[in-house]
Structure formats: structure tokens, C-alpha cells
Amino acid sequence: MTEISGHTRVYAILADPVHHVQTPQKLNALMRARGHDGVMVPVHVGAGELATVVASLKAMKTLGGFVVTVPHKTAIVALCDEVSRQAQLVGAVNCVRREADGRLVGDILDGLGFVAGMRREGFEPKGRRVLLLGAGGAANAVAFALADAGVAGLSIANRTRAKSEDLARRLSQAFPALPVDLDEPGAAAPDIVINGTSLGLAEGDPLPLDASRLTAGQIVAEVIMQPRVTALLAAAQARGCSIHYGLPMLECQLEMMGDFMGMTSPDKTPPGKT
Ligand code: ATR
């Protein structure tokens, strides 16, 4: 970080709890690497205080933007002046840019980061049939980003069927040409299997799907970053699948957050600023 001065742009991450967040360290490092004069700080915001804090941030002229995480990703949507189509579809925002006139523009970058991460590792989702495990926050973001990326079809499998039905309905509304189903028995084998559930985060978790369904040549991908090799990835590898770790999603998303909030090098004009 360069010396903090009156020119330094300020960024925040709003979370509750906040002690575990690692985004500030990563985005401060990204700003340093890009030669951007800015600093990101963690801000502990309880659910009942979000609107007050956001109104204050909106009034801060040196604010570049802020990252939003658990539990605020849904509530923040209504507090933005403008949100991207992806964010509208997912119903969540995780990154907000403050324009020079104080308008707050929100986007959801985790699903887009997942797709960018797959592409960076040489896995192209366009034209592929995908089995998505899960229908929670992360799976929703990934589902809409995959639909946008042009997958050939999307099957959704989730423990709570009502949530997969709801996700399938919203996907079909937004992408009427996309074949979407609920992973019915006898469905054609997918080209890509993605774990968007939280199963695998804890040691001893059961697999999010029956490993006998994995066949050589399939791509099996994780949204979970830690552990790097989940039990699902280990099982997939043993069955001759190509595996895709969760970490590239985070790495790509951090770059996108930096671009979105205008953490550019001094000789570049940040997006939205003239
Ligand atoms: P995140 O924001 O990380 O996606 P979430 O919205 O709570 O967190 O979603 C967690 C996902 O993991 C959901 O799809 C959840 O299934 P339910 O919708 O049925 O709750 C899935 N999940 C969590 N624990 C699970 C378990 N023990 N077995 C199967 N699925 C599980």
C-alpha cells in the first residue's frame, strides 16, 4: 500500500461475522500489485444496521466501493441504485461500486468468477450438459452464470426439492431456450458435474452424489476452495474424470472485483468514472 493520503480511495467489506474474512488482504495485495492508491477495511455490520451503513458509505466521496458477504448478499440488492442483470436474476449482490455522483451499482461476481476460473483452466462450459449439485446461494450464482455462458443443458439436484424447483423455474423464465431439469433418473450423463453444495467443507461429510455416477472423461468441479482436494474430487480422479478445483473461482473473482470497483493502475480510468 502506498502512504494513505487524501487521494486514497477507500473500500470496505461488509460482513457479520467479520473476523474470518480474507478478502481485504487479497484485494489490498491486488491494489499494491496494480499500483492503485486504495485501502480495503473489514466492517462488521449486523443485519439490522445494513441500510444505515450503506447510506453512510454512499455519502463518502472517497469510497471506491465495497464487497458484501454473508448475511447481506440478498438485502443489499434493494439498497443499490442499479444492479446488473445477473444480480437481478440471482437475487443477490456481492460487489458494489460507488459512482462519482454517489450512485451505488451492484453486481454478483461469484458465478461469473466460477465460469472464468473454469475457462482459465481450459474447461469450456459452452455447449456442455451440466449437472449442478445444490440450489443455495452459491449454486444459484453458478447456475445463472453457466446459463449465460451458453451451456447446452442444466440438471439440478438438491436435497430440498422445492429449492431446486424454484431455481429451475427462474432459470427457465430467464433462459427459455435452455433445457433445465431436476436430475430425473435415466437422464443422459452430464459432461460436467459441479458441486455447489456445502458438502465437502467438513471432514467426514458424505459425497454430494453417488460416485458410481461418475464416468471417465467427465469434468468434475468444486465450488469449495478448502480443502483443495475434496472427497468428491478424489473420487472423481479415481474414476478417470478431469477435476477442477474451487480456488480459481476465487482468484478470478478477486480480479473481477478489482476491475468492477475501479482498482486500476494510475494510468487507467476506472469504469464508470470520467
Ligand atoms: P451457500 O451460500 O454456501 O451456497 P446455502 O445457501 O446455505 O450456502 O446452500 C447450501 C447448499 O448445500 C444447499 O444446496 C444445501 O441443500 P438444501 O437446500 O437442501 O439445504 C446443501 N447442503 C448443505 N448441507 C447438506 C447436506 N447435509 N446434504 C445435502 N445437501 C446439503
Side-chain angles (χ1 to χ4, degrees), residues 251-267:
E251 292 165 349
C252 288
Q253 194 186 178
L254 288 167
E255 291 281 337
M256 288 176 167
M257 284 177 165
D259 293 345
F260 182 75
M261 291 189 287
M263 295 172 174
T264 50
S265 60
D267 56 348

Side-chain angles (χ1 to χ4, degrees), residues 112-249:
L112 300 174
F114 177 82
V115 168
M118 282 203 82
R119 288 186 167 142
R120 196 190 75 182
E121 303 298 309
F123 300 122
E124 175 56 61
K126 186 171 181 181
R128 304 294 191 94
R129 287 182 315 254
V130 176
L131 169 59
L132 176 64
L133 311 173
N140 261 265
V142 167
F144 283 99
L146 288 168
D148 219 32
V151 293
L154 206 46
S155 296
I156 301 160
N158 191 52
R159 174 179 61 178
T160 307
R161 192 176 165 95
K163 277 167 68 178
S164 32
E165 283 172 355
D166 177 62
L167 175 55
R169 183 183 50 74
R170 290 184 294 110
L171 277 166
S172 297
Q173 262 170 11
F175 297 89
L178 175 68
V180 179
D181 64 60
L182 295 182
D183 187 35
E184 306 296 356
D191 304 309
I192 306 176
V193 177
I194 300 168
N195 179 28
T197 76
S198 43
L199 279 181
L201 271 173
E203 211 177 314
D205 274 355
L207 290 180
L209 99 163
D210 181 351
S212 67
R213 292 185 61 187
L214 300 175
T215 52
Q218 282 177 327
I219 299 163
V220 178
E222 270 292 358
V223 168
I224 290 170
M225 282 164 247
Q226 285 295 340
R228 185 162 183 263
V229 182
T230 59
L232 175 67
L233 291 183
Q237 217 160 17
R239 298 185 76 87
C241 305
S242 301
I243 62 168
H244 177 68
Y245 302 109
L247 195 59
M249 168 179 175

Side-chain angles (χ1 to χ4, degrees), residues 67-144:
V67 172
V68 185
T69 186
V70 177
H72 304 306
K73 286 190 191 182
T74 306
I76 189 67
V77 176
L79 300 173
C80 292
D81 298 298
E82 183 186 326
V83 300
S84 68
R85 178 170 180 266
Q86 275 279 321
Q88 277 173 27
L89 293 173
V90 178
V93 155
N94 76 338
C95 196
V96 177
R97 175 174 72 233
R98 185 189 184 278
E99 301 282 1
D101 61 3
R103 292 174 65 258
L104 298 179
V105 181
D107 203 350
I108 180 94
L109 300 174
D110 32 19
L112 300 174
F114 177 82
V115 168
M118 282 203 82
R119 288 186 167 142
R120 196 190 75 182
E121 303 298 309
F123 300 122
E124 175 56 61
K126 186 171 181 181
R128 304 294 191 94
R129 287 182 315 254
V130 176
L131 169 59
L132 176 64
L133 311 173
N140 261 265
V142 167
F144 283 99

